[in-house]
Amino acid sequence: MPPSTVCLTFDFDALSVWLAYEKTTPAMLGRGEYGARVGVPRVLDLLASHGLEATFFVPGHTVESFPDETERILAAGHEVAHHSYAHLDPSTQTRDEEREDMERAWAALARIGVEPVGFRAPSADLSASTLELVEEHGFLYDSSLMADDYTPFRPRIGDRVARGEPLVRGREARFWELPLSFELDDWVHFQFNFDPYRRGGSTPGDVLEIWTAEFDWMHANVDGGVLTATMHPQVIGRGSRIAMLDRFIRHCGETGARFARMDTVARELDGA
Ligand SMILES: [Zn+2]
């Protein structure tokens, strides 16, 4: 393994993330459309200028609503991975609803020739069934959890947890977890919203400081570390933030780190 790996990941949620809220307005949907209209082309141009491949988690709703943009992502050589169909928080769905949504997304991806090997839960949350469904569908990796930071791991299925009783560990899953974090998530730092209220509004400089410090610590202390940056074209697509991402890519590249698609990392782990 090279000393450090950076996975640039983009959740191309477009409208779906806003439709999942209790109240959706045309203005909110417009912000989602910005991701397709402005964000994706800017992200693709930046990645191309550095000659990098990345991973895009694309909900089925986006695949069907923005087929041209999704096709551009594929044509540029990036990985397209599974991110549900309707982008609903799995913890609000029954097991059957979650399975149905997962399979609808699978079918939407299959129609554009994609057989996904990776999954990311929408809303950065899981139901009690999600990991079992991920395993049942044969995914090679999931990227939704935070039990580690720079080291991929096998998540556990079937933990028993109750107040007043110690954790009873479940079994190891057959797929890899490529962990993410809110510290390295553009939505958390930047995305303002009225209702539900999200503060957003961080300066690109502040976020670049956090992201480069995260990378630098990993690079200095974790052998073969894997850093996952989670971004959204509708957030990172703003000019000031694309410029920030450009600086972050340059910083990591100068250390000799490599940039890789998540499916590449998961296949290497499987072969190790
Ligand atoms: Zn998402």
Side-chain angles (χ1 to χ4, degrees):
M1 283 283 275
S4 295
T5 298
V6 176
C7 291
L8 301 174
T9 70
F10 299 90
D11 298 0
F12 182 18
D13 296 333
L15 311 184
S16 68
V17 64
W18 301 107
L19 289 167
Y21 286 134
E22 239 165 68
K23 183 184 121 187
T24 302
T25 68
M28 292 162 96
L29 294 175
R31 286 188 265 162
E33 183 161 340
Y34 175 90
R37 185 197 297 248
V38 179
V40 165
R42 280 195 191 146
V43 167
L44 290 178
D45 285 351
L46 179 68
L47 294 172
S49 74
H50 288 281
L52 303 181
E53 290 182 349
T55 296
F56 287 73
F57 292 92
V58 189
H61 186 275
T62 299
V63 171
E64 293 178 349
S65 303
F66 298 99
D68 293 348
E69 290 79 0
T70 307
E71 191 48 53
R72 275 196 64 189
I73 292 167
L74 280 171
H78 303 296
E79 174 189 7
V80 167
H82 195 299
H83 194 39
S84 85
Y85 184 88
H87 208 280
L88 297 172
D89 178 348
S91 68
T92 66
Q93 294 174 297
T94 66
R95 187 184 175 93
D96 285 347
E97 286 169 348
E98 191 176 358
R99 183 197 301 278
E100 199 178 309
D101 178 276
M102 198 178 261
E103 284 170 5
R104 191 175 174 193
W106 197 286
L109 291 170
R111 281 193 289 276
I112 57 166
V114 172
E115 195 177 325
V117 301
F119 176 80
R120 175 171 286 161
S123 314
D125 219 336
L126 304 185
S127 75
S129 308
T130 307
L131 295 180
E132 274 177 2
L133 290 171
V134 168
E135 187 175 81
E136 185 185 312
H137 285 79
F139 286 104
L140 209 54
Y141 75 88
D142 172 70
S143 180
S144 316
L145 299 174
M146 307 184 193
D148 211 312
D149 44 24
Y150 314 116
T151 306
F153 62 98
R154 299 273 190 192
R156 289 190 309 268
I157 292 178
D159 276 5
R160 291 210 313 274
V161 186
R163 288 199 184 101
E165 287 176 31
L167 164 69
V168 179
R169 287 173 175 73
R171 65 176 174 83
E172 274 194 350
R174 290 196 297 272
F175 56 88
W176 291 98
E177 178 63 35
L178 304 181
L180 44 63
S181 69
F182 288 137
E183 289 78 5
L184 290 156
D185 184 328
D186 64 351
W187 193 282
V188 174
H189 293 295
F190 291 128
Q191 187 58 269
F192 169 81
N193 194 46
F194 288 116
D195 179 23
Y197 179 70
R198 300 281 181 271
R199 184 173 154 273
S202 298
T203 70
D206 284 349
V207 177
L208 182 64
E209 183 183 337
I210 296 169
W211 288 21
T212 53
E214 284 281 323
F215 172 81
D216 289 345
W217 195 91
M218 177 187 87
H219 191 60
N221 295 285
V222 182
D223 236 9
V226 179
L227 181 132
T228 301
T230 304
M231 293 165 279
H232 302 75
Q234 60 187 284
V235 178
I236 204 73
R238 298 292 310 187
S240 58
R241 300 173 192 152
I242 277 285
M244 178 207 102
L245 178 57
D246 185 33
R247 289 200 293 276
F248 179 67
I249 290 170
R250 287 176 197 281
H251 176 85
C252 300
E254 281 162 9
T255 68
R258 66 154 183 175
F259 295 84
R261 295 166 34 153
M262 285 195 148
D263 57 346
T264 302
V265 173
R267 286 200 171 96
E268 286 171 359
L269 289 163
D270 252 7

